[in-house]
Amino acid sequence: MSKKVRVRFAPSPTGGLHLGGVRTVLYNYLFAKKHGGDFVLRIEDTDQTRYVAGAEAYIFNCLEWAGLVPNESPLHGGNYGPYRQSERKAAGMYQQYADQLIEQGHAYYAFDTPEELEKMRAIYKTAENPSPQYDHTLRMKMRNSLSLSAAETNQLLAAGTKKVVRIKMPQNETVSFTDMIRGEVSFDTALVDDKVLLKADGMPTYHLAVVVDDYLMQISHAFRGEEWLPSAPVHVLLWKYLFGLEAMPQWAHLPLILGPSGKLSKRDGARYGFPVFAMNWTDPKTNELTEGFKEKGFLPEAFINLLALLGWNDGTEKEIFSKDELVNAFSMERVHAAGAKFDYEKAKWFNHDWIKHVDSNLLLPLVKDLLLQNEIPVTDESLLLQVISLIKDRCTLLPDFVQQTSFFFKAPQQLDVAAVKSKWTDEKKTFFEAFTETVLQQTDFTPAALETAFKELAAEKNIKPGELQLPLRIMLVGGKFGPPVFDIAVLLGKKETAERIKRGLKQF
RNA sequence: GGCCCGUUCGUCUAAGGGUUAGGACACCACCCUUUCACGGUGGUGAUACGAGUUCGAAUCUCGUACGGGCUACCA
């Protein structure tokens, strides 16, 4: 009898949500859906000094956009609330466990001030040991309930002296566990420091909170970034002391997503020339805007597709997956152990492919929005739909639609005259004057029929039709791009096509 | 420095001891197309190094090198 699958994503609301974060969400989500489980979102806001206004709402917006909505969260409710650690602390959910650990002798009070800690690090710092740890080698030299007598400790406690609770790491134990991605991982406890569990302000640190909350929320599988691996022995020990190893979730430490130079970090923003955040993020303090994948013009379907394939594959050569297909195919065991360097070129390819194959109706509102933003009037939605189908092969990112569709709704302001001028002749001018009439009088106004008429007239005037197509394009489009020129003319209509030709003739 | 994790084309990756080491992105060439793309065909390009186990190693073991992460009263 296996317990119900319950997974959680536990971000701290300190800024934008980057690629790695979204991928962690995605793997959680896929795993939960695949196994008919619950996906919980818990806010890890125990560090009040790092509180950033708006960050939590922003995270929900990103998840909404990506289509990875949690079953339980501070926003969506649930039976295991509250879902913010600050509120859980206020409800007194952590203190008792810290007390229990102290009673068991697995944790102790430490009275060292930040200054004293700094001093300790300065004193014991050597070339061989550049960052001394508060561990079994040093704890008896510090001020804590282990080094002090019971009377002294009680006196300090009674006086309300600032204190933290630290875990007492055992001196000769090997802690090991099975990671779903890496297999067995083990650590020598003597080499791990006595991490703070409860801070002076009464807030738990991540280490205590993650264990207590995962237990209370009945989390069955805990997925997080590889950067947590070094502190995993602390969490395993806490599970052992508090709730028993049988109750511990199965761990999977996800490989990191690397930027051009190491771990992708929130601070790196758009420094790489590509977005790192899911959506635009404006730092409330500096007002600095960092562009997101959404605003850059990525489809959410493409975004999760490319993220899923960054470190995972289904064992076949399939690369394009819908969300449902991902749910169906996903397995944690097929996630790679090695970190993956993010490749923006490939990311764009995913988006391009999604744009090409997705139903144009889905693109319609997005493109319309974009055109309106660029002051291009869209009066006819059914025309826009036809245009989108005609040109979506040419668009990698959503904003590409602006250039590719705008000339259907607004005559080009400037024509690329230079592309035509050198080969321009009076004969060609005569041709186009005649062709204007052809267009106006065409009864079968379809691309094929128009092209035939065009070629017949060219033959009549003894000009190679190929020499005339580019000028026509320039007159209709303004530049050397766009779909087949007779498709454009038909969508434009007889009148508009004729007018653009007349206008173009004046400029050549 | 210590600890942990990792290492297949430039990048993402496949290959449950036996393959001419496969695919995708990017790049190059050709075809299609008298625009730009899409598409098609082909090409360049990888098992970090050294030992060992084995008839046989990208695959198992060890060492080395390299890369990354952690080393806060941050997560």
Side-chain angles (χ1 to χ4, degrees):
Chain A
M1 85 113 251
S2 57
K3 53 183 174 176
K4 170 155 197 190
V5 167
R6 288 176 54 81
V7 300
R8 84 303 192 261
F9 175 60
S12 60
T14 56
L17 215 214
H18 68 76
L19 284 173
V22 182
R23 195 192 54 175
T24 304
V25 174
L26 178 62
Y27 286 3
N28 269 286
Y29 180 94
L30 296 176
F31 188 86
K33 297 303 159 199
K34 166 120 189 173
H35 296 99
D38 300 322
F39 170 42
V40 178
L41 185 133
R42 180 173 74 216
I43 296 291
E44 307 243 346
D45 58 348
T46 54
D47 186 356
Q48 308 192 307
T49 63
R50 294 213 304 163
Y51 172 79
V52 175
E56 185 183 313
Y58 166 89
I59 289 169
F60 282 113
N61 289 339
C62 290
L63 298 192
E64 182 78 40
W65 174 67
L68 305 173
V69 180
N71 301 85
E72 299 169 25
S73 79
L75 194 66
H76 303 87
N79 297 325
Y80 298 84
Y83 291 91
R84 284 187 197 94
Q85 288 182 334
S86 56
E87 291 169 15
R88 298 174 73 77
K89 184 263 172 182
M93 299 177 92
Y94 303 106
Q95 183 68 48
Q96 55 171 308
Y97 296 106
D99 292 344
Q100 185 186 332
L101 288 164
I102 288 177
E103 278 164 34
Q104 293 172 153
H106 291 129
Y108 59 91
Y109 295 113
F111 302 99
D112 318 273
T113 64
E115 294 72 31
E116 286 170 328
L117 289 174
E118 209 173 299
K119 203 170 136 197
M120 175 274 275
R121 290 193 184 101
I123 291 173
Y124 294 101
K125 183 174 170 174
T126 60
E128 276 171 7
N129 184 11
S131 41
Q133 301 196 111
Y134 200 119
D135 60 12
H136 71 94
T137 64
L138 249 38
R139 64 179 161 232
M140 293 312 283
K141 298 188 167 112
M142 306 300 290
R143 291 205 309 137
N144 53 55
S145 57
L146 260 26
S147 63
L148 267 24
S149 71
E152 285 172 308
T153 300
N154 288 335
Q155 199 175 18
L156 284 168
L157 253 21
T161 312
K162 287 266 185 203
K163 62 176 190 305
V164 301
V165 174
R166 284 181 183 271
I167 186 173
K168 184 185 174 193
M169 287 303 284
Q171 229 169 106
N172 16 302
E173 243 181 73
T174 298
V175 170
S176 59
F177 65 95
T178 303
D179 186 280
M180 292 171 76
I181 296 171
R182 288 150 219 282
E184 177 158 320
V185 185
S186 49
F187 301 84
D188 180 350
T189 56
L191 271 7
V192 182
D193 63 332
D194 291 352
K195 297 239 179 276
V196 171
L197 265 19
L198 213 57
K199 308 185 219 183
D201 65 2
M203 279 282 192
T205 58
Y206 173 85
H207 307 294
L208 213 217
V210 72
V211 170
V212 169
D213 289 339
D214 282 353
Y215 171 74
L216 261 16
M217 293 182 174
Q218 293 183 36
I219 298 304
S220 63
H221 301 261
F223 310 141
R224 67 210 322 187
E226 191 188 341
E227 71 268 30
W228 290 106
L229 210 38
S231 54
V234 176
H235 311 316
V236 172
L237 245 23
L238 253 19
W239 269 99
K240 185 172 143 189
Y241 299 152
L242 256 16
F243 310 117
L245 256 18
E246 317 72 45
M248 186 171 74
Q250 285 198 58
W251 298 101
H253 289 88
L254 273 24
L256 264 15
I257 296 181
L258 282 357
S261 51
K263 183 186 172 188
L264 216 46
S265 128
K266 289 182 182 180
R267 290 170 227 291
D268 287 318
R271 193 180 302 167
Y272 302 128
F274 57 79
V276 299
F277 289 162
M279 290 170 68
N280 275 5
W281 167 253
T282 305
D283 187 301
K285 284 191 190 111
T286 62
N287 246 359
E288 193 183 342
L289 174 86
T290 308
E291 191 177 35
F293 278 88
K294 180 191 175 196
E295 289 80 3
K296 191 79 186 175
F298 279 79
L299 255 22
E301 293 84 351
F303 188 53
I304 62 171
N305 189 172
L306 72 92
L307 247 22
L309 272 281
L310 208 52
W312 171 87
N313 71 85
D314 74 343
T316 72
E317 281 168 4
K318 185 174 165 73
E319 291 197 281
I320 300 297
F321 288 86
S322 69
K323 193 167 79 177
D324 287 345
E325 289 173 324
L326 286 174
V327 167
N328 197 34
F330 188 75
S331 78
M332 198 54 77
E333 285 73 19
R334 283 204 67 89
V335 174
H336 245 245
K341 199 175 285 180
F342 180 68
D343 180 0
Y344 188 50
E345 292 306 318
K346 181 112 188 201
K348 285 194 289 190
W349 173 81
F350 273 106
N351 204 54
H352 191 19
D353 205 76
W354 268 93
I355 286 178
K356 279 187 303 198
H357 299 302
V358 93
D359 193 300
S360 298
N361 281 298
L362 201 140
L363 261 12
L364 183 66
L366 302 173
V367 175
K368 187 178 175 184
D369 230 42
L370 224 35
L371 291 175
L372 263 22
Q373 277 172 40
N374 284 274
E375 290 170 359
I376 294 165
V378 179
T379 44
D380 186 346
E381 280 204 5
S382 73
L383 171 63
L384 180 56
L385 192 63
Q386 290 181 70
V387 170
I388 288 172
S389 297
L390 188 60
I391 54 100
K392 61 184 180 181
D393 282 2
R394 292 167 167 76
C395 300
T396 299
L397 296 170
L398 256 14
D400 295 341
F401 277 97
V402 175
Q403 190 208 32
Q404 293 289 342
T405 60
S406 57
F407 59 86
F408 283 101
F409 300 94
K410 195 174 173 184
Q413 301 301 292
Q414 274 193 330
L415 305 189
D416 183 1
V417 180
V420 181
K421 204 139 198 177
S422 61
K423 291 181 186 167
W424 193 244
T425 61
D426 285 344
E427 288 73 24
K428 288 182 180 174
K429 191 178 180 193
T430 315
F431 168 87
F432 276 108
E433 282 162 355
F435 184 62
T436 310
E437 289 309 309
T438 309
V439 168
L440 259 10
Q441 281 155 30
Q442 188 76 12
T443 48
D444 181 14
F445 198 56
T446 60
L450 188 61
E451 182 169 0
T452 306
F454 182 85
K455 284 182 174 164
E456 280 169 2
L457 185 62
E460 206 177 289
K461 302 277 181 196
N462 209 12
I463 310 176
K464 276 189 250 170
E467 303 238 329
L468 297 162
Q469 275 198 32
L470 186 62
L472 178 59
R473 171 176 299 281
I474 301 293
M475 289 185 274
L476 300 185
V477 176
K480 293 202 286 188
F481 61 91
V485 70
F486 298 107
D487 285 318
I488 298 172
V490 168
L491 251 20
L492 245 25
K494 295 181 189 177
K495 198 168 148 245
E496 180 66 17
T497 301
E499 270 172 29
R500 289 194 190 183
I501 294 174
K502 279 184 206 162
R503 220 173 305 151
L505 248 21
K506 288 180 194 155
Q507 294 190 44
F508 291 155

